[in-house]
Amino acid sequence: MTYQEAAGQRLLMELRAREAWSQRDYVTAQNLAGELAASALADSDDLGWWNATFLVAETLRKQGLMQESRAVAETLAGHALTVESKALSARVSTILSLALQGCGDLTAAVTAARQAVDDASGEIDDVGVLVGARNALIAALADSDQLDSAWHECQALDALLRSEPLSQTSGVGYWAIGNVAFLLKHIPQGVEYHGRAAKALSPTNDLDLWARFNRASASLRLTAGVIEPETLECIERAELASSIVGGSERDCLELSLTRAQWLVLTGQVEASVTLLRSIVEKKRLLATHMAAQAHFLLGQALSARGGDSGAISNLEASEGLFLQSGAEDSASTARALIDSIRS
């Protein structure tokens, strides 16, 4: 087979992989991207190998295979093309940070995201790369309870987005800023930024993204104590969209965790205990800090029900998992609730 024929086959394979990605068939996309990377490597097509391998990392993350995505991203990080290009380095460090967050390794996720922001802040053409890097950094900082640092990054992101037209990229950015505002109990600002995000994101453009936005918006509202009809509407929109697009078992568990959080905070104790026990049974599928949240909520619910020693054991599991992931403030909250129950 001539080089031109091989290149033609790779182009066709790439188009099939991208089509599978657009159809959310991430297993097929991963397999095709893997074949594409192997073919490019055999023909010494470094850029073709790089692009295909990056797609493999993305498809693994979409499937919830965070450790595997992390390993591929680390391979990309050491490649000569990545080392020589700030734009490529920023993209790799961003996906590495997201994978590390998914693994629950929040300290390393912050480090990777800071590297991504540093690289993306140079002279690169695609503003979306910088927005993506800042989004990853904000998420990692927020999950690790570094809220003041996260808000500082939010202000820098806000200044960047205000000079850009509304788009899916800006929508994801405003979503991230709103998340931190809710965590800081800046409720009006959280509502404002999530309102901007909702205007930029559309269920017709990306129903999966719309589902994740509504789930996250509901979760952050609940964390901030906003128990209003709008919060329940966010959960219901996320559940409806997810029922249409499907998603990994991990995605379904995270959405169930948000529904459970609503049940706990609205006093529906028995329903919340039943749902949370089913989530805890599958906690191996969740990031460490998400598993910690499941144990924490179950401890809360059991404590509210009264007469169940399982409350303390779940809160102790929560504290340990929060510490393991680097979320020390959340661990302190779990410990305070344990002390309160014992006293």
Side-chain angles (χ1 to χ4, degrees):
M1 183 184 300
T2 66
Y3 178 84
Q4 288 78 9
E5 288 172 334
Q9 283 195 355
R10 286 201 297 276
L11 176 59
L12 179 59
M13 199 179 301
E14 181 178 0
L15 292 173
R16 289 172 58 202
R18 296 292 177 186
E19 176 62 20
W21 171 274
S22 69
Q23 296 298 320
R24 293 180 290 277
D25 184 356
Y26 299 120
V27 174
T28 299
Q30 177 198 337
N31 292 334
L32 288 168
E35 292 178 33
L36 182 58
S39 175
L41 182 63
D43 280 343
S44 301
D45 179 0
D46 284 352
L47 184 58
W49 174 88
W50 196 99
N51 286 326
T53 304
F54 188 85
L55 181 56
V56 169
E58 289 189 304
T59 57
L60 288 168
R61 184 172 64 84
K62 285 290 190 178
Q63 294 172 69
L65 301 173
M66 299 301 180
Q67 291 286 4
E68 293 83 348
S69 180
R70 171 185 183 174
V72 175
E74 287 173 342
T75 298
L76 281 167
H79 194 270
L81 287 178
T82 308
V83 174
E84 294 167 1
S85 167
K86 292 292 186 183
L88 296 185
S89 179
R91 291 174 63 197
V92 169
S93 293
T94 297
I95 197 170
L96 177 58
S97 177
L98 295 173
L100 288 164
Q101 288 175 54
C103 295
D105 191 348
L106 300 178
T107 301
V110 169
T111 300
R114 285 201 186 280
Q115 183 62 56
V117 170
D118 288 345
D119 288 337
S121 297
E123 295 181 5
I124 62 174
D125 297 329
D126 189 354
V127 69
V129 174
L130 179 54
V131 172
R134 287 204 180 277
N135 283 345
L137 178 55
I138 289 166
L141 288 168
D143 279 345
S144 55
D145 296 329
Q146 300 180 55
L147 295 181
D148 289 339
S149 294
W151 189 245
H152 175 76
E153 296 297 333
C154 285
Q155 291 173 314
L157 179 58
D158 187 28
L160 175 66
L161 294 177
R162 287 182 184 274
S163 63
E164 297 294 318
L166 274 182
S167 66
Q168 184 163 294
T169 297
S170 62
V172 172
Y174 287 131
W175 169 7
I177 297 171
N179 289 350
V180 179
F182 276 119
L183 287 172
L184 287 168
K185 301 294 194 294
H186 298 164
I187 308 304
Q189 286 176 290
V191 172
E192 176 192 351
Y193 281 110
H194 275 191
R196 292 186 198 175
K199 289 179 182 178
L201 302 175
S202 167
T204 56
N205 290 338
D206 191 331
L207 191 58
D208 178 53
L209 183 65
W210 179 250
R212 289 189 289 114
F213 164 65
N214 277 283
R215 186 199 72 78
S217 183
S219 179
L220 270 297
R221 286 168 181 261
L222 291 171
T223 300
V226 182
I227 308 172
E228 296 179 352
E230 291 82 357
T231 303
L232 181 57
E233 287 172 9
C234 285
I235 297 174
E236 292 173 340
R237 283 197 295 266
E239 289 172 339
L240 176 59
S242 295
S243 71
I244 296 171
V245 301
S248 67
E249 192 171 2
R250 180 191 182 110
D251 293 333
C252 294
L253 278 178
E254 290 183 354
L255 182 53
S256 294
L257 187 58
T258 303
R259 169 62 77 167
Q261 189 177 13
W262 166 265
L263 292 173
V264 171
L265 294 180
T266 54
Q268 301 176 66
V269 176
E270 293 301 328
S272 67
V273 168
T274 300
L275 181 53
L276 284 162
R277 280 179 169 157
S278 70
I279 295 170
V280 166
E281 286 177 1
K282 298 180 180 180
K283 67 180 180 180
R284 69 189 184 282
L285 299 172
L286 295 169
T288 308
H289 60 289
M290 298 293 283
Q293 177 72 353
H295 275 293
F296 180 82
L297 289 170
L298 182 52
Q300 269 191 314
L302 290 170
S303 175
R305 189 167 71 175
D308 194 325
S309 60
I312 289 179
S313 62
N314 275 282
L315 290 168
E316 287 176 337
S318 172
E319 180 188 23
L321 289 168
F322 276 131
L323 287 172
Q324 182 182 329
S325 67
E328 295 183 4
D329 287 352
S330 295
S332 297
T333 301
R335 171 50 54 183
L337 187 51
I338 292 169
D339 293 341
S340 174
I341 293 171
R342 283 179 169 160
S343 64

mmCIF file of all heavy atoms in Angstrom, residues 99-125:
data_model
loop_
_atom_site.group_PDB
_atom_site.id
_atom_site.type_symbol
_atom_site.label_atom_id
_atom_site.label_comp_id
_atom_site.label_asym_id
_atom_site.label_seq_id
_atom_site.Cartn_x
_atom_site.Cartn_y
_atom_site.Cartn_z
ATOM 1 N N ALA A 99 -8.845 14.172 33.988
ATOM 2 C CA ALA A 99 -8.747 12.759 34.343
ATOM 3 C C ALA A 99 -8.353 12.594 35.806
ATOM 4 O O ALA A 99 -8.888 11.738 36.522
ATOM 5 C CB ALA A 99 -7.737 12.059 33.438
ATOM 6 N N LEU A 100 -7.418 13.419 36.262
ATOM 7 C CA LEU A 100 -6.994 13.362 37.664
ATOM 8 C C LEU A 100 -8.143 13.728 38.604
ATOM 9 O O LEU A 100 -8.306 13.127 39.668
ATOM 10 C CB LEU A 100 -5.806 14.295 37.882
ATOM 11 C CG LEU A 100 -4.473 13.829 37.285
ATOM 12 C CD1 LEU A 100 -3.480 14.983 37.211
ATOM 13 C CD2 LEU A 100 -3.887 12.676 38.103
ATOM 14 N N GLN A 101 -8.951 14.719 38.196
ATOM 15 C CA GLN A 101 -10.135 15.052 38.993
ATOM 16 C C GLN A 101 -11.068 13.854 39.063
ATOM 17 O O GLN A 101 -11.622 13.539 40.120
ATOM 18 C CB GLN A 101 -10.863 16.241 38.375
ATOM 19 C CG GLN A 101 -10.153 17.574 38.545
ATOM 20 C CD GLN A 101 -10.879 18.689 37.807
ATOM 21 O OE1 GLN A 101 -12.057 18.892 38.015
ATOM 22 N NE2 GLN A 101 -10.176 19.403 36.941
ATOM 23 N N GLY A 102 -11.242 13.187 37.931
ATOM 24 C CA GLY A 102 -12.102 12.009 37.890
ATOM 25 C C GLY A 102 -11.584 10.874 38.738
ATOM 26 O O GLY A 102 -12.362 10.055 39.235
ATOM 27 N N CYS A 103 -10.260 10.817 38.922
ATOM 28 C CA CYS A 103 -9.654 9.808 39.792
ATOM 29 C C CYS A 103 -9.727 10.212 41.260
ATOM 30 O O CYS A 103 -9.444 9.397 42.146
ATOM 31 C CB CYS A 103 -8.187 9.589 39.415
ATOM 32 S SG CYS A 103 -7.933 8.872 37.770
ATOM 33 N N GLY A 104 -10.051 11.482 41.513
ATOM 34 C CA GLY A 104 -10.079 11.971 42.881
ATOM 35 C C GLY A 104 -8.738 12.470 43.376
ATOM 36 O O GLY A 104 -8.588 12.781 44.561
ATOM 37 N N ASP A 105 -7.755 12.595 42.485
ATOM 38 C CA ASP A 105 -6.423 13.097 42.856
ATOM 39 C C ASP A 105 -6.408 14.606 42.620
ATOM 40 O O ASP A 105 -5.870 15.106 41.629
ATOM 41 C CB ASP A 105 -5.346 12.399 42.028
ATOM 42 C CG ASP A 105 -3.940 12.667 42.548
ATOM 43 O OD1 ASP A 105 -3.788 13.566 43.397
ATOM 44 O OD2 ASP A 105 -2.999 11.991 42.095
ATOM 45 N N LEU A 106 -7.008 15.352 43.551
ATOM 46 C CA LEU A 106 -7.266 16.768 43.325
ATOM 47 C C LEU A 106 -6.008 17.619 43.379
ATOM 48 O O LEU A 106 -5.888 18.611 42.656
ATOM 49 C CB LEU A 106 -8.297 17.267 44.342
ATOM 50 C CG LEU A 106 -9.660 16.558 44.284
ATOM 51 C CD1 LEU A 106 -10.579 17.098 45.365
ATOM 52 C CD2 LEU A 106 -10.295 16.704 42.912
ATOM 53 N N THR A 107 -5.047 17.261 44.220
ATOM 54 C CA THR A 107 -3.803 18.043 44.297
ATOM 55 C C THR A 107 -3.067 18.005 42.969
ATOM 56 O O THR A 107 -2.627 19.042 42.450
ATOM 57 C CB THR A 107 -2.906 17.491 45.426
ATOM 58 O OG1 THR A 107 -3.607 17.558 46.666
ATOM 59 C CG2 THR A 107 -1.620 18.306 45.534
ATOM 60 N N ALA A 108 -2.931 16.816 42.399
ATOM 61 C CA ALA A 108 -2.272 16.686 41.101
ATOM 62 C C ALA A 108 -3.097 17.345 39.997
ATOM 63 O O ALA A 108 -2.540 17.901 39.039
ATOM 64 C CB ALA A 108 -2.040 15.209 40.777
ATOM 65 N N ALA A 109 -4.422 17.299 40.133
ATOM 66 C CA ALA A 109 -5.294 17.932 39.135
ATOM 67 C C ALA A 109 -5.077 19.436 39.099
ATOM 68 O O ALA A 109 -5.047 20.048 38.024
ATOM 69 C CB ALA A 109 -6.754 17.621 39.431
ATOM 70 N N VAL A 110 -4.929 20.058 40.269
ATOM 71 C CA VAL A 110 -4.662 21.500 40.333
ATOM 72 C C VAL A 110 -3.332 21.819 39.654
ATOM 73 O O VAL A 110 -3.222 22.768 38.863
ATOM 74 C CB VAL A 110 -4.649 21.994 41.796
ATOM 75 C CG1 VAL A 110 -4.118 23.425 41.879
ATOM 76 C CG2 VAL A 110 -6.055 21.927 42.385
ATOM 77 N N THR A 111 -2.304 21.030 39.938
ATOM 78 C CA THR A 111 -0.979 21.259 39.349
ATOM 79 C C THR A 111 -1.033 21.171 37.823
ATOM 80 O O THR A 111 -0.489 22.027 37.115
ATOM 81 C CB THR A 111 0.029 20.228 39.887
ATOM 82 O OG1 THR A 111 0.119 20.363 41.308
ATOM 83 C CG2 THR A 111 1.406 20.437 39.278
ATOM 84 N N ALA A 112 -1.702 20.141 37.308
ATOM 85 C CA ALA A 112 -1.809 19.973 35.860
ATOM 86 C C ALA A 112 -2.583 21.128 35.226
ATOM 87 O O ALA A 112 -2.210 21.635 34.160
ATOM 88 C CB ALA A 112 -2.478 18.644 35.534
ATOM 89 N N ALA A 113 -3.664 21.549 35.879
ATOM 90 C CA ALA A 113 -4.469 22.646 35.326
ATOM 91 C C ALA A 113 -3.704 23.962 35.346
ATOM 92 O O ALA A 113 -3.833 24.774 34.417
ATOM 93 C CB ALA A 113 -5.772 22.778 36.105
ATOM 94 N N ARG A 114 -2.907 24.197 36.375
ATOM 95 C CA ARG A 114 -2.100 25.429 36.403
ATOM 96 C C ARG A 114 -1.095 25.422 35.252
ATOM 97 O O ARG A 114 -0.844 26.457 34.626
ATOM 98 C CB ARG A 114 -1.368 25.556 37.738
ATOM 99 C CG ARG A 114 -2.267 25.967 38.894
ATOM 100 C CD ARG A 114 -1.471 26.566 40.043
ATOM 101 N NE ARG A 114 -2.310 26.832 41.206
ATOM 102 C CZ ARG A 114 -3.094 27.901 41.325
ATOM 103 N NH1 ARG A 114 -3.162 28.775 40.333
ATOM 104 N NH2 ARG A 114 -3.820 28.079 42.415
ATOM 105 N N GLN A 115 -0.532 24.261 34.976
ATOM 106 C CA GLN A 115 0.387 24.159 33.844
ATOM 107 C C GLN A 115 -0.347 24.463 32.542
ATOM 108 O O GLN A 115 0.179 25.145 31.654
ATOM 109 C CB GLN A 115 0.991 22.757 33.779
ATOM 110 C CG GLN A 115 2.015 22.560 32.668
ATOM 111 C CD GLN A 115 3.226 23.470 32.824
ATOM 112 O OE1 GLN A 115 3.885 23.444 33.858
ATOM 113 N NE2 GLN A 115 3.520 24.284 31.823
ATOM 114 N N ALA A 116 -1.576 23.955 32.425
ATOM 115 C CA ALA A 116 -2.374 24.209 31.225
ATOM 116 C C ALA A 116 -2.645 25.694 31.046
ATOM 117 O O ALA A 116 -2.516 26.243 29.938
ATOM 118 C CB ALA A 116 -3.696 23.442 31.305
ATOM 119 N N VAL A 117 -2.998 26.384 32.129
ATOM 120 C CA VAL A 117 -3.269 27.825 32.053
ATOM 121 C C VAL A 117 -2.005 28.589 31.683
ATOM 122 O O VAL A 117 -2.032 29.501 30.847
ATOM 123 C CB VAL A 117 -3.850 28.334 33.392
ATOM 124 C CG1 VAL A 117 -3.900 29.866 33.411
ATOM 125 C CG2 VAL A 117 -5.238 27.761 33.617
ATOM 126 N N ASP A 118 -0.885 28.219 32.283
ATOM 127 C CA ASP A 118 0.385 28.883 31.959
ATOM 128 C C ASP A 118 0.708 28.739 30.476
ATOM 129 O O ASP A 118 1.094 29.705 29.803
ATOM 130 C CB ASP A 118 1.524 28.294 32.799
ATOM 131 C CG ASP A 118 1.450 28.704 34.256
ATOM 132 O OD1 ASP A 118 0.702 29.659 34.562
ATOM 133 O OD2 ASP A 118 2.120 28.071 35.084
ATOM 134 N N ASP A 119 0.547 27.518 29.955
ATOM 135 C CA ASP A 119 0.858 27.280 28.538
ATOM 136 C C ASP A 119 -0.132 28.011 27.625
ATOM 137 O O ASP A 119 0.261 28.589 26.601
ATOM 138 C CB ASP A 119 0.811 25.782 28.233
ATOM 139 C CG ASP A 119 1.996 25.033 28.829
ATOM 140 O OD1 ASP A 119 3.041 25.671 29.073
ATOM 141 O OD2 ASP A 119 1.870 23.809 29.057
ATOM 142 N N ALA A 120 -1.412 27.978 27.995
ATOM 143 C CA ALA A 120 -2.450 28.582 27.146
ATOM 144 C C ALA A 120 -2.432 30.106 27.195
ATOM 145 O O ALA A 120 -3.020 30.760 26.326
ATOM 146 C CB ALA A 120 -3.824 28.069 27.549
ATOM 147 N N SER A 121 -1.798 30.671 28.209
ATOM 148 C CA SER A 121 -1.753 32.133 28.341
ATOM 149 C C SER A 121 -0.715 32.760 27.413
ATOM 150 O O SER A 121 -0.628 33.987 27.334
ATOM 151 C CB SER A 121 -1.440 32.521 29.790
ATOM 152 O OG SER A 121 -2.476 32.085 30.652
ATOM 153 N N GLY A 122 0.051 31.943 26.727
ATOM 154 C CA GLY A 122 1.030 32.471 25.770
ATOM 155 C C GLY A 122 0.365 32.860 24.468
ATOM 156 O O GLY A 122 -0.862 33.024 24.384
ATOM 157 N N GLU A 123 1.133 32.994 23.447
ATOM 158 C CA GLU A 123 0.613 33.443 22.152
ATOM 159 C C GLU A 123 0.079 32.259 21.354
ATOM 160 O O GLU A 123 0.742 31.717 20.474
ATOM 161 C CB GLU A 123 1.723 34.166 21.371
ATOM 162 C CG GLU A 123 2.183 35.457 22.037
ATOM 163 C CD GLU A 123 3.259 36.169 21.232
ATOM 164 O OE1 GLU A 123 3.567 35.715 20.118
ATOM 165 O OE2 GLU A 123 3.781 37.183 21.717
ATOM 166 N N ILE A 124 -1.151 31.859 21.664
ATOM 167 C CA ILE A 124 -1.807 30.817 20.887
ATOM 168 C C ILE A 124 -3.089 31.394 20.303
ATOM 169 O O ILE A 124 -3.679 32.327 20.844
ATOM 170 C CB ILE A 124 -2.109 29.568 21.734
ATOM 171 C CG1 ILE A 124 -3.065 29.902 22.880
ATOM 172 C CG2 ILE A 124 -0.831 28.968 22.290
ATOM 173 C CD1 ILE A 124 -3.501 28.682 23.657
ATOM 174 N N ASP A 125 -3.522 30.825 19.183
ATOM 175 C CA ASP A 125 -4.623 31.413 18.419
ATOM 176 C C ASP A 125 -6.013 31.074 18.971
ATOM 177 O O ASP A 125 -6.946 31.848 18.809
ATOM 178 C CB ASP A 125 -4.546 30.955 16.954
ATOM 179 C CG ASP A 125 -3.281 31.438 16.263
ATOM 180 O OD1 ASP A 125 -2.792 32.526 16.647
ATOM 181 O OD2 ASP A 125 -2.778 30.734 15.371
#
